[in-house]
Amino acid sequence: MRASENDEPFAIDPTGRDVQGDAARIRARGPATRILLPGGVEAWAVSSPPLLRRLLTDDRVSKDAYLHWPPLLNGEVGPGWQLFAWVAVRNMLTAYGPDHRRLRRLISSAFTVHRTAALRPRIEAIVAELLDDLDAVAPGEAVDLRDRYAYPLPIRVICELFGVEDPDARDEIRRCVDAFFRTTTGAEEAAAAFPRLQEILRGVVRDKRTRPADDLSSALIAARDEGSPLSEEELVDTLVLFLSAGHETTVNLLDNAVHAMLTRPEQLALVRAGHATWGDVIEETLRAEPPIANLPLRFAVEDIELEDGTALRKGDAILACYAAAGRDPHAHGDDADLFDVTRADKEHMAFGYGVHYCLGAPLARLEASIALPALFSRFPGLELAVRPSELLPLDSFISNGHRTLPARLKAAT
């Protein structure tokens, strides 16, 4: 048995004030170490890339808390827990075994590569519109690129893809999703956000049944109503999944990539000189600053013995630590903390691994591959409007990005 099993568990900081610092501390405790989540809930943090790959493809590891997590089943955690939405939804994210295969097969048939590729002209049009809006900002004036560029692109794309047209609904979706990812959320707000988002999306389902359109919501509803083995709860929670995780990850990817280029001008110079590509920027960002730092939760279906003698007991919760894995020195060398677009091996698990690999990864990459070069081409003098040390991280140990990203687009005249 490893010493880490006997040590006091590491209390992960719910404020996310030092995501990479916590990642390094978790990594230093070994491939798997005990941690305390908000509310005093215990789990294992797994940070070793080989061990993560093993566990994420092991049939003895589940994402279904209703089947395999005693604290949920016996009422120790409930709607007031900050992370409740992450374990309470009934969709592909939390399904296990045959249920997961059933849901993924159904959703994959609607979320196709062809449908994703066909979005390029629309993404380009939205990017051009957002850049035109930014172009109207007075020279020298600071603008929040997270709020004005990184956020509106993916939320518009995902809402159009699923046919959510009402701007008020989009705003409410944003507020609810922010509450999911903000791990400092109070019990009352946490308890209200999830059912409110479900209520909004039940309204979308009612509307689409009356007025179906060429969108993914209508396709899923048609599959459900034509006898596909998809329950009404799974239908609504599938929309919850795509309309939350479907945009938050891309917001952070854009935020972190822009931040990396503005704080490392030598890296941007390599791209502009043709010594690296924007694809290199995207993959290195996903490795060094993944949009999701830590993903809750998985559960041991039975006792699992690890190579070092550590034992995960049946029912133990598991936190996948993607930020820690991305900078593992065993995988990326002693300079793993260094952001380097010329790095030969940019392997990462920012979009997960195995059967739960993110279906939206191609869309996120497509959006970033259009939005990043367009931004730096339109505003070649782009610079941060504050010192890097003044930027505040999101108050989350799950979502990895900045609260704001103030920048000056054009020099003052």
Side-chain angles (χ1 to χ4, degrees):
M1 182 176 293
R2 282 184 52 82
S4 64
E5 287 193 71
N6 294 320
D7 292 342
E8 285 296 313
F10 174 79
I12 200 161
D13 184 357
T15 70
R17 73 189 74 187
D18 186 14
V19 162
Q20 291 296 349
D22 269 6
R25 287 182 277 274
I26 288 170
R27 199 167 51 234
R29 291 169 61 100
T33 189
R34 292 188 306 137
I35 61 167
L36 282 180
L37 297 171
V41 173
E42 287 202 30
W44 287 92
V46 180
S47 60
S48 161
L51 181 55
L52 267 174
R53 285 192 289 269
R54 174 189 157 185
L55 293 177
L56 297 185
T57 54
D58 193 324
D59 288 341
R60 297 172 298 170
V61 176
S62 167
K63 293 201 76 177
D64 193 333
Y66 292 98
L67 290 177
H68 300 121
W69 196 34
L72 181 69
L73 297 172
N74 63 26
E76 291 177 38
V77 301
W81 186 46
Q82 292 95 322
L83 306 183
F84 182 72
W86 291 90
V87 299
V89 290
R90 306 307 299 263
N91 58 32
M92 189 177 68
L93 178 70
T94 57
Y96 172 70
D99 277 340
H100 177 263
R101 290 190 289 273
R102 169 179 60 85
L103 291 169
R104 191 174 181 95
R105 184 165 54 247
L106 174 65
I107 295 161
S108 296
S109 68
F111 208 88
T112 62
V113 173
H114 173 74
R115 188 184 285 266
T116 299
L119 290 170
R120 174 178 284 276
R122 184 60 189 141
I123 294 170
E124 290 173 339
I126 295 172
V127 165
E129 181 182 328
L130 293 172
L131 290 174
D132 287 345
D133 289 343
L134 291 174
D135 218 355
V137 174
E141 182 180 328
V143 61
D144 180 2
L145 285 179
R146 182 179 175 91
D147 186 63
R148 296 280 298 273
Y149 194 64
Y151 185 84
L153 171 62
I155 191 64
R156 286 179 60 178
V157 170
I158 202 71
C159 282
E160 288 186 12
L161 189 61
F162 281 87
V164 180
E165 301 168 358
D166 182 357
D168 292 336
R170 294 183 186 184
D171 288 343
E172 272 215 85
I173 288 170
R174 176 178 185 173
R175 286 192 292 273
C176 292
V177 171
D178 285 349
F180 294 167
F181 282 92
R182 190 170 62 248
T183 48
T184 57
T185 299
E188 185 176 340
E189 185 180 1
F194 180 45
R196 177 56 187 147
L197 183 55
Q198 289 179 311
E199 181 183 357
I200 295 167
L201 295 177
R202 286 190 190 98
V204 171
V205 169
R206 286 193 299 271
D207 182 62
K208 292 297 176 183
R209 280 200 169 106
T210 304
R211 296 178 297 169
D214 183 21
D215 54 54
L216 288 187
S217 293
S218 297
L220 289 172
I221 292 163
R224 152 77 177 142
D225 293 351
E226 290 167 10
S228 177
L230 179 72
S231 72
E232 191 76 4
E233 182 182 15
E234 288 171 334
L235 170 63
V236 171
D237 282 0
T238 294
L239 297 182
V240 169
L241 170 62
F242 280 104
L243 288 165
S244 54
H247 78 266
E248 178 76 10
T249 51
T250 309
V251 175
N252 289 342
L253 170 56
L254 294 173
D255 171 351
N256 289 333
V258 172
H259 173 263
M261 293 297 94
L262 295 184
T263 55
R264 299 169 180 84
E266 78 286 352
Q267 298 288 298
L268 179 57
L270 288 170
V271 177
R272 285 177 163 159
H275 300 306
T277 67
W278 284 106
D280 290 323
V281 173
I282 292 166
E283 297 309 310
E284 182 66 349
T285 301
L286 290 167
R287 181 198 71 83
E289 292 290 354
I292 300 298
N294 304 285
L295 185 62
L297 277 173
R298 287 172 167 82
F299 314 97
V301 175
E302 59 185 68
D303 291 354
I304 301 173
E305 189 83 15
L306 305 185
E307 286 81 355
D308 61 5
T310 301
L312 308 186
R313 300 303 181 192
K314 180 179 179 179
D316 281 356
I318 300 167
L319 183 73
C321 300
Y322 295 135
R327 297 192 182 193
D328 189 302
H330 298 294
H332 295 290
D334 292 338
D335 67 346
D337 284 331
L338 181 68
F339 187 100
D340 180 7
V341 292
T342 66
R343 184 184 299 277
D345 180 8
K346 303 181 184 68
E347 185 179 8
H348 59 79
M349 286 182 281
F351 292 118
Y353 190 79
V355 296
H356 282 279
Y357 184 81
C358 178
L359 280 175
L363 178 58
R365 286 188 168 105
L366 177 61
E367 291 179 62
S369 72
I370 295 169
L372 291 171
L375 175 68
F376 283 90
S377 175
R378 178 73 72 97
F379 304 109
L382 186 65
E383 63 179 11
L384 278 179
V386 298
R387 291 189 297 273
S389 61
E390 295 179 66
L391 294 173
L392 296 175
L394 296 171
D395 49 354
S396 174
F397 70 85
I398 299 174
S399 189
N400 180 29
H402 303 91
R403 297 184 198 179
T404 62
L405 192 62
R408 291 188 180 88
L409 308 172
K410 299 169 282 193
T413 55

